[in-house]
Structure formats: structure tokens, C-alpha cells
């Protein structure tokens, strides 16, 4: 049997709106009744994937987290997540019109009313500014560039100049110290003779 057909028979999928229901263990999965598996949203794009972790693992973890926030935990958990998101936006000066209480209310209304379309989803924020901030943070964290190429030569010249100046000062100080010590020992030797 073809492996592709075998996979389709073992894990058939059924698209419902923006979600995909997976038939697992020979029975259709329903998020309201089945605790063994979640609905994987088709929109599983990672905004900024974590390095050194496979994208499929991250997508799976995000889907499980979404499932738990929507079907297992109470509404306060989703509200708390939106509040954390709003706090991050404010911390990084990203303009947003997110009101966590209204947004969580919209999400649960959408879930409980058979995915009935909403007039408006109140989750607007400055996506370009967010992308710029994430790219900057990622560049600083994963690709640290301590010296800009335009100042590398100047920096090296300054460091070498300071090092040479300090080394010359040390040589002069050492010469004066040994000379004074030598003169004092010669003076003591003359006075004892």
C-alpha cells in the first residue's frame, strides 16, 4: 500500500472554516468533548520562530496552547495572555488598539457561536513596527556585532595607541624606579666605605 494513502486512512482530515479536524484513534475529534487531541489551526505560521527548535515542534506546541486556552482553561487565562501581549506592545512602543477584555470576549463569542463571522475583530496593531522590533531583537541576540565596520579600524588604532602609551609609561616608571634603587644602593655603599 502507498504510504501516502496509508497516512490518509490513519489520520484523515476534515476542513472546517479556518481549522482542520483530525480523525484520531478511529473516531472524529471534537474539541468540546475529546481531551486527547486539539484542533490544529491551518494558520500555523510562526511570526518569529525560536532558533534551535524545529518549526513543527513549535507549531504543535502553539496549537496545543491555543486549544487549552480556548477549550480547557477558563476565560481568565486567555485574558491574561492578551494582557501580557498588550504589555509587550507597550514596552516596545508598538502602537496597538488591543483591549484585552474585548478581544477575549470576541474570541469566546466566535468559538461558542459556531464560528459565526464577527463585525470586527479588535486586534489591530502596527505590524510593520512589530516586525522591525523583532528583527532588531533577533539581530542583537543571535548575531551580535559589537563593532560597526565603519569604526573597527578607529577602535583598533585607539586601543593599540593606549596600550603602547601605557607600556611606555610602565617602562619609564620601571627605569626610574630601578635607577633610584641603584643610586641609593651606591650611596649606601660609598658611605660604608
Amino acid at each position: 500500500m502507498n504510504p501516502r494513502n496509508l497516512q490518509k486512512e490513519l489520520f484523515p482530515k476534515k476542513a472546517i472554516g479556518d481549522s482542520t479536524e483530525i480523525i484520531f484513534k478511529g473516531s472524529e475529534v471534537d474539541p468540546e468533548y475529546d481531551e486527547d487531541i486539539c484542533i490544529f489551526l491551518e494558520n500555523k505560521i510562526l511570526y518569529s520562530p525560536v532558533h534551535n527548535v524545529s518549526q513543527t515542534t513549535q507549531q504543535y506546541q502553539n496549537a496545543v496552547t491555543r486549544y487549552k486556552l480556548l477549550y480547557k482553561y477558563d476565560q481568565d487565562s486567555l485574558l491574561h495572555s492578551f494582557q501580557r501581549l498588550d504589555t509587550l506592545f507597550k514596552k516596545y512602543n508598538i502602537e496597538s488598539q488591543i483591549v484585552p477584555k474585548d478581544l477575549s470576549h470576541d474570541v469566546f463569542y466566535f468559538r461558542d457561536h459556531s464560528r459565526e463571522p464577527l463585525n470586527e475583530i479588535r486586534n489591530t496593531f502596527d505590524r510593520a513596527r512589530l516586525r522591525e522590533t523583532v528583527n532588531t531583537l533577533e539581530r542583537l541576540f543571535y548575531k551580535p556585532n559589537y563593532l560597526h565596520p565603519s569604526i573597527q579600524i578607529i577602535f583598533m588604532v585607539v586601543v593599540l595607541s593606549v596600550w603602547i602609551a601605557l607600556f611606555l609609561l610602565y617602562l619609564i616608571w620601571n627605569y626610574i624606579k630601578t635607577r633610584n634603587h641603584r643610586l641609593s644602593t651606591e650611596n649606601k655603599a660609598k658611605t660604608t666605605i
Side-chain angles (χ1 to χ4, degrees):
M1 184 175 234
N2 187 356
R4 183 175 280 162
N5 290 339
L6 181 65
Q7 183 179 5
K8 283 182 181 178
E9 286 184 22
L10 289 177
F11 297 103
K13 298 177 182 180
K14 181 171 112 180
I16 301 175
D18 66 345
S19 301
T20 302
E21 278 189 352
I22 299 173
I23 296 176
F24 183 67
K25 296 182 184 172
S27 62
E28 188 173 321
V29 173
D30 191 329
E32 294 176 6
Y33 306 112
D34 195 326
E35 298 180 0
D36 294 334
I37 198 162
C38 65
I39 287 187
F40 289 88
L41 297 178
E42 288 180 349
N43 183 12
K44 57 186 177 193
I45 298 168
L46 299 171
Y47 194 82
S48 178
V50 178
H51 290 253
N52 301 328
V53 179
S54 72
Q55 288 196 6
T56 53
T57 303
Q58 292 178 56
Q59 290 167 348
Y60 177 78
Q61 288 171 344
N62 289 342
V64 170
T65 302
R66 283 192 297 266
Y67 169 74
K68 288 179 179 177
L69 285 172
L70 288 175
Y71 296 103
K72 282 198 163 194
Y73 302 149
D74 59 351
Q75 291 189 2
D76 292 339
S77 300
L78 185 64
L79 177 63
H80 178 67
S81 296
F82 285 141
Q83 287 170 342
R84 284 180 30 214
L85 180 66
D86 189 42
T87 304
L88 277 174
F89 283 161
K90 288 177 182 170
K91 178 180 178 182
Y92 291 110
N93 297 325
I94 296 169
E95 187 178 326
S96 70
Q97 285 81 32
I98 289 180
V99 179
K101 192 175 263 186
D102 294 342
L103 190 56
S104 64
H105 180 309
D106 288 348
V107 168
F108 281 106
Y109 180 85
F110 185 73
R111 180 199 74 178
D112 294 338
H113 289 86
S114 300
R115 294 173 175 74
E116 173 183 308
L118 296 169
N119 291 336
E120 167 186 32
I121 295 180
R122 298 169 272 210
N123 67 345
T124 55
F125 56 91
D126 187 0
R127 295 177 194 283
R129 177 82 173 118
L130 177 63
R131 185 172 305 283
E132 178 184 313
T133 304
V134 166
N135 289 340
T136 302
L137 290 172
E138 192 167 299
R139 189 183 75 242
L140 292 173
F141 188 75
Y142 291 111
K143 304 171 195 166
N145 188 6
Y146 301 109
L147 290 177
H148 194 272
S150 63
I151 64 168
Q152 281 180 347
I153 295 172
I154 297 170
F155 179 77
M156 293 306 230
V157 168
V158 169
V159 167
L160 285 173
S161 306
V162 168
W163 187 84
I164 289 171
L166 289 174
F167 184 68
L168 289 174
L169 285 174
Y170 171 74
L171 289 176
I172 292 169
W173 174 78
N174 195 23
Y175 173 75
I176 292 172
K177 185 178 174 188
T178 55
R179 185 173 157 243
N180 287 342
H181 182 67
R182 191 171 17 103
L183 289 175
S184 66
T185 54
E186 286 177 4
N187 286 340
K188 284 183 185 177
K190 285 182 185 177
T191 55
T192 55
I193 294 181

